Structures are given as C-alpha cells and as structure tokens.
Amino acid sequence: MTVRTGKTFAVSMITICQLMALALWFSATAVLPQLRSEFGIGALQSSLFTSSVLLGFVLGTVASAIFGLADRIEPRRFWAASAIIAATANILILVVPVDGVVVILLRLITGVCMAGIYPIGMKMVATWSRGDTGFLVGLLVGALTLGSAMPHLFAVAVPLDWRYVILTASVTAYVAAIAILLVHLGGAPARSPRFDPRMVGKIWSNKALRHACYGYFGHMWELYAMWGWIGLFLYGAYSDRMIDNPGVWSALSTFAIVGVGAFGSLAGGYYADRIGRTTVTIAAMVVSGACAMIAGSLADASFILLMIVCVVWGISVVADSAQFSSCVIELADPHQIGTALTLQNAIGFLIALVSIHLVPVIADHTGWWGAFAMLAAGPILGTVAMVRLRMMPEAIHLAGGRK
C-alpha cells in the first residue's frame, strides 16, 4: 500500500476521512421523523438515539485516557479500527428491532468508537502543525460539524428511506477507514497527557480553569440538543405549512443549518487567536442564546425569517466550541492538561445528555418555543462564566494576552 507524503495531501485526507466517519454520529438521528412515523418511536427512545452516542463517547474518551490507548496503538490503525467497528455497529441497526434496547446498545458502541476517531484525528493533524495549530484545530472541528450534518444530506441524496441513510453512512466510514491508511504523518505524534484522578481536586480549585469549564458546560447544554432536535422541529414546521415532501425539505434545511457551523468553527478559531478567546466565546454565546430564545416561536412565521434565525443559530452555536479546550490548555499546568481536558469533556457531554432528554419533554408541554428557550440557559450561564474569567488576572495567559 503506497503512503502519500506532503502536508496538503495529508491534512486534506485526514479532514475528509473525519468528515466521512463522523457521519455515523447523527446517522440515526437524521432519520428520526421516518422512524417515529413507521415504528411509533416515543420521545424517550428518540432521545436515546442521540444521547447513547454521547454517553459512549464519554466512556470511550475516559477509557482511552486512563489506559493510554492513543499512545499504545499506531494512530492510523487505531483510527481505522475504530471507524470499522463503529460502521459495523451502525449497519447492524438494519437487522435488529429499531424500537428495542439492542439498537441503543449499538448506538452506544458507535459512540465509544468516536473516541478513537475525533481525538485521534486531532492527534494526526497536530503532527503537521507548523505554527498553524489554531487553523488546523478549527478545520477538524469544522469536519466534526459538517460530518454531523451529512446524514441529513444522505436522506435527500439517496431514496428517502431511513435504511439507505444508515447504509450510506456506514459505507462512507468503511471507505474512510481504508483511506486513512494512505496518509503519511508529519512527524512522531506527541504523547497524549494521561488522566490522573488524583489531580481532579487540584484542577477544580483553580478558579480561572473552573470558569473556563463552566463556559464549556453552558455551551454543551445547548449544542447537541440543538443539533439533535432541530430537524424534527423543522419537519413539524413544514408539515404544518402543508409543504409537499416535508421530510426532504427538513433534511435539506437541517443539513444547511448544522453544516454551516463548519464556517463558524473556522471563523471562531481565526478570530479567537487575534481578538481574544473570551471575546469570541462571549459573542458566540450571546448570539446563539438569543436564537434559542426565539427560534421555537417562529414555526408559523415567514419561511425566510425562520431560516435566517436557524442559520445564524447554526453558525454561532459551534463557533466557540474549540476555544474552551484552548482555554484549558492555556490555563492548566502542563502536567494537568490531559486530566483537565478529559474532565471538561466528560462532564460537558454528560450535561448534554440531560438537555437532549429534556427537550422533547418540555416540547410536549409548552411547544418547541419553550424547549428551545430552555436551551438558552446554557449560553446565558456560559457567558457569565466567561465574563468573570475575562476579569481575572489569569486571563492574560489566553491567546498570547488577547483575552
């Protein structure tokens, strides 16, 4: 097997492979309208299609950090094996009862394997960093965002049958698993900082670091719940308007709304290095929180207004994502970084599990306006945390002194 060299080829291939494999994350979520219609899946089961992947990612991330898997296994092989297992778990959804517990276990396995794809992709790209780490991280976060949107495009590009969407997402992941082996790394990957539970108390006593985590927790309260439920909200809005083929239009709209966040990620990374991390995170959360407050009430408003608000929400909801990890890296002691990042991510994704399950419950009682407005609590509290961080002396360590 010939391995191609060169930074442009390698970074491009890693990014494309990330995008293709990460389509597995929301492959089942994207077809929820069809599953609910065909099988009568309730709110709890619908929530588990997304939340079980997040829980799996938490478990996989913590296990990888504790056992140092990213250092013990060659990264391209680790990535490829994770993609193959995840794609197999995803495709097995086609042969088990969709409304049973086995499908949720398969989604959990997919989430565990995501811990061998997304972070390892970051590790591989970092070997090519030559003073452009911020751009490369933004590129990979953009791939995560666009990959999360891809299944909604699959729902339109292939016949509108949920089985084809699942199949397409799995096949693209299998292809990516082969393609990643053609990539040449830019050097020896840096060793991943290990998770040390003995450091948790010391990390949490760091006020500045704690507030950076608070900001991330607020961000996560909103992000995955928005990504997970915006498609079903739009499906209902289009159905109520008696629009032909509401499934097609809601899938296309969701792809655009989630996918445009890739540009928000790149812009967020670019400007955070130049005008400050707290500046970018505060601005993004103010905008996304405002969109969350009003988006759910626009189901019957003009189509143009609805789409403008949702697209702005899609850009702003993820524009700050990578900056919270950057804050932790810049504020933590070097020997604490691995534990601090693992702690931040684990708690953040667990918080996302709560909001994902709350959305349909609140929507059943108040409608979508109440469910989405509830999500605004995250960016509101996150903004307060980042404003307080900005006022601390330790903020001088962020982005080379640019708060």
Side-chain angles (χ1 to χ4, degrees):
M1 182 177 295
T2 302
V3 179
R4 291 287 301 276
T5 61
K7 178 175 179 177
T8 301
F9 175 82
V11 172
S12 299
M13 282 293 292
I14 294 169
T15 303
I16 293 170
C17 288
Q18 289 277 97
L19 190 156
M20 294 170 69
L22 288 169
L24 296 170
W25 197 307
F26 280 88
S27 59
T29 304
V31 296
L32 275 178
Q34 295 96 301
L35 294 179
R36 296 186 76 165
S37 174
E38 183 174 339
F39 299 100
I41 292 176
L44 176 59
Q45 186 82 354
S46 298
S47 300
L48 287 171
F49 268 78
T50 299
S51 64
S52 57
V53 180
L54 299 185
L55 179 58
F57 183 76
V58 172
L59 296 175
T61 300
V62 172
S64 180
I66 291 174
F67 297 108
L69 299 181
D71 296 325
R72 296 181 178 181
I73 306 173
E74 200 276 331
R76 290 168 297 185
R77 294 177 180 175
F78 189 12
W79 196 102
S82 298
I84 289 171
I85 296 171
T88 302
N90 192 65
I91 207 169
L92 286 175
I93 292 175
L94 302 178
V95 298
V96 301
V98 176
D99 54 353
V101 68
V102 176
V103 72
I104 301 305
L105 292 176
L106 291 173
R107 296 295 289 156
L108 182 74
I109 293 171
T110 299
V112 171
C113 293
M114 291 294 107
I117 296 174
Y118 180 50
I120 302 304
M122 288 283 192
K123 189 181 182 76
M124 290 190 291
V125 160
T127 66
W128 286 103
S129 176
R130 303 294 185 269
D132 53 358
T133 302
F135 172 75
L136 294 180
V137 170
L139 195 64
L140 266 291
V141 173
L144 166 66
T145 304
L146 194 57
S148 299
M150 285 294 288
H152 298 283
L153 185 61
F154 293 160
V156 178
V158 298
L160 196 60
D161 185 309
W162 65 270
R163 296 167 183 83
Y164 290 110
V165 176
I166 298 293
L167 179 62
T168 302
S170 295
V171 170
T172 59
Y174 284 131
V175 172
I178 297 172
I180 201 70
L181 298 175
L182 303 176
V183 174
H184 179 71
L185 302 184
R191 291 190 64 82
S192 301
R194 297 294 182 88
F195 177 78
D196 186 350
R198 296 170 298 180
M199 291 184 182
V200 171
K202 188 174 182 179
I203 289 171
W204 208 245
S205 66
N206 183 328
K207 187 176 180 181
L209 192 56
R210 192 167 68 242
H211 277 74
C213 290
Y214 289 157
Y216 179 72
F217 298 159
H219 160 75
M220 289 296 288
W221 175 263
E222 178 190 25
L223 177 63
Y224 279 91
M226 183 274 196
W227 278 359
W229 290 108
I230 190 70
L232 199 61
F233 161 68
L234 292 173
Y235 180 81
Y238 292 155
S239 297
D240 292 343
R241 294 163 187 253
M242 306 298 290
I243 294 177
D244 292 337
N245 299 317
V248 172
W249 287 108
S250 63
L252 281 174
S253 299
T254 304
F255 170 75
I257 291 164
V258 177
V260 76
F263 298 101
S265 298
L266 288 172
Y270 178 85
Y271 286 109
D273 288 337
R274 287 159 178 79
I275 64 176
R277 305 217 189 282
T278 61
T279 301
V280 167
T281 54
I282 290 169
M285 286 191 287
V286 167
V287 174
S288 67
C291 292
M293 290 291 292
I294 64 175
S297 63
L298 298 178
D300 298 322
S302 74
F303 175 79
I304 294 177
L305 179 60
L306 173 63
M307 286 306 298
I308 287 175
V309 171
C310 288
V311 167
V312 172
W313 196 9
I315 294 171
S316 58
V317 75
V318 73
D320 53 351
S321 190
Q323 303 316 309
F324 295 107
S325 296
S326 298
C327 287
V328 167
I329 292 171
E330 292 166 337
L331 293 172
D333 292 336
H335 65 283
Q336 295 177 342
I337 290 176
T339 302
L341 286 174
T342 302
L343 185 68
Q344 183 194 53
N345 279 276
I347 297 176
F349 275 91
L350 290 175
I351 287 172
L353 296 180
V354 178
S355 61
I356 286 170
H357 284 274
L358 275 179
V359 165
V361 175
I362 295 178
D364 285 344
H365 287 84
T366 67
W368 285 105
W369 72 267
F372 285 164
M374 176 270 296
L375 296 181
I380 290 172
L381 295 176
T383 298
V384 172
M386 297 309 286
V387 168
R388 295 188 65 181
L389 173 59
R390 183 183 181 87
M391 297 170 64
M392 296 177 190
E394 294 87 345
I396 195 67
H397 298 297
L398 298 174
R402 292 177 289 276
K403 300 179 182 181

